[in-house]
Amino acid sequence: GAVVSQHPSRVICKSGTSVKIECRSLDFQATTMFWYRQFPKQSLMLMATSNEGSKATYEQGVEKDKFLINHASLTLSTLTVTSAHPEDSSFYICSAFNSGNSYEQYFGPGTRLTVT
Amino acid sequence: GQSLEQPSEVTAVEGAIVQINCTYQTSGFYGLSWYQQHDGGAPTFLSYNALDGLEETGRFSSFLSRSDSYGYLLLQELQMKDSASYFCAVPSGYSTLTFGKGTMLLVSP
C-alpha cells in the first residue's frame, strides 16, 4: 500500500512560536492531501484540503492565517501552526489518497504538538 | 451536511465476535468506509462498501444497507491486538472524508 510520512512525530514549543509539520507521500504522487486534528479520545476533524500548486481549502472555523498550508510539490505538504497557543496542542495527522479511490486514504503517523 | 453515529465503546473477550454499528445522514451517498486506529497511531483503512451487502476480508467483514442508512463492521475471532478505535466514514464532496466519533473496542483475555 501507499506510504505517507510525517515529520516531526512529536514537538514541544513555547507559546507564541511557530511550528512546521511536513507530510510526504513516499511512493506515490498526491495532488491532494488532507490535514486533520484529533484531540484525545475524539474523532478526526478535517482542517483543510491541500492542493498542489494552489491554495488550500479550509473547513469552516479553521483560521487560514493561523494554520498555513503549502503544497509545493506532488509529494510534500506542510502545515505551519503560527503563534501557537496551548489550546493548539493536539495530534495533527495528514492523509492522501492514491489514484481515484478517495474512500481509501493513507494516513501519516501523526504529529503530537504540545504548546507550553 | 454529514453526520455519523456509532457507539462510543464496546467490550468483548478474546475469541468472541463483535459488531460495531454506524448510522449516517448524508446529503449525497457514495459509500461507507471503516478505519482502525490504535492509540497514538495513524488510522488505517479496513474496508469500503458502496453497494448493499456484506464484504468479507479475513476476520473483518463490513455490511451496508443503503435503504436503512446503516452499516456495521463485524470482527470475528477477536484478538487482543484488535483493541483500538474504529471509525466509520463517508466521502463528502470531492475526496474529503467525514468521520464518525469512533468506537473504542476493548478486548479482554
Side-chain angles (χ1 to χ4, degrees):
Chain A
V3 179
V4 175
S5 70
Q6 269 184 253
H7 178 80
S9 57
R10 292 177 180 272
V11 59
I12 301 172
C13 71
K14 293 186 177 180
S15 187
T17 61
S18 295
V19 173
K20 179 185 284 189
I21 303 170
E22 293 185 348
C23 177
R24 294 181 185 272
S25 56
L26 297 186
D27 51 359
F28 67 101
Q29 294 182 330
T31 56
T32 305
M33 290 184 174
F34 306 95
W35 287 96
Y36 294 84
R37 181 168 50 184
Q38 186 177 34
F39 292 105
K41 306 300 182 184
Q42 294 190 23
S43 187
L44 294 93
M45 299 301 298
L46 180 66
M47 299 176 66
T49 302
S50 172
N51 303 296
E52 189 266 336
S54 65
K55 292 183 179 180
T57 304
Y58 290 82
E59 295 299 302
Q60 193 173 3
V62 178
E63 300 174 57
K64 62 180 181 180
D65 295 328
K66 180 172 181 60
F67 298 98
L68 302 179
I69 291 172
N70 183 274
H71 194 152
S73 79
L74 287 171
T75 59
L76 174 64
S77 175
T78 60
L79 168 69
T80 301
V81 182
T82 63
S83 186
H85 290 283
E87 57 264 30
D88 298 323
S89 298
S90 187
F91 193 49
Y92 292 87
I93 313 175
C94 69
S95 74
F97 65 90
N98 194 4
S99 73
N101 293 337
S102 62
Y103 55 81
E104 182 178 355
Q105 291 191 9
Y106 298 93
F107 285 82
T111 297
R112 176 76 60 191
L113 171 63
T114 303
V115 184
T116 61
Chain B
Q2 325 277 32
S3 69
L4 301 99
E5 296 290 330
Q6 52 182 130
S8 59
E9 187 174 305
V10 173
T11 59
V13 297
E14 272 189 300
I17 300 172
V18 73
Q19 178 174 312
I20 300 174
N21 299 319
C22 175
T23 57
Y24 57 85
Q25 288 185 319
T26 61
S27 54
F29 182 74
Y30 304 98
L32 185 69
S33 298
W34 288 92
Y35 285 79
Q36 178 193 61
Q37 184 182 29
H38 287 96
D39 192 30
T44 56
F45 173 79
L46 291 177
S47 67
Y48 174 71
N49 294 66
L51 302 175
D52 291 352
L54 189 68
E55 296 279 344
E56 298 183 60
T57 308
R59 294 189 297 114
F60 294 1
S61 303
S62 57
F63 172 83
L64 176 67
S65 170
R66 288 174 296 171
S67 61
D68 296 321
S69 298
Y70 163 76
Y72 65 73
L73 180 69
L74 189 72
L75 299 88
Q76 302 182 73
E77 300 173 21
L78 279 175
Q79 302 175 10
M80 296 293 289
K81 67 178 181 179
D82 297 329
S83 292
S85 290
Y86 293 84
F87 296 89
C88 55
V90 291
S92 52
Y94 173 66
S95 72
T96 60
L97 280 175
T98 300
F99 286 84
K101 294 185 176 179
T103 298
M104 182 178 296
L105 171 63
L106 302 173
V107 181
S108 57

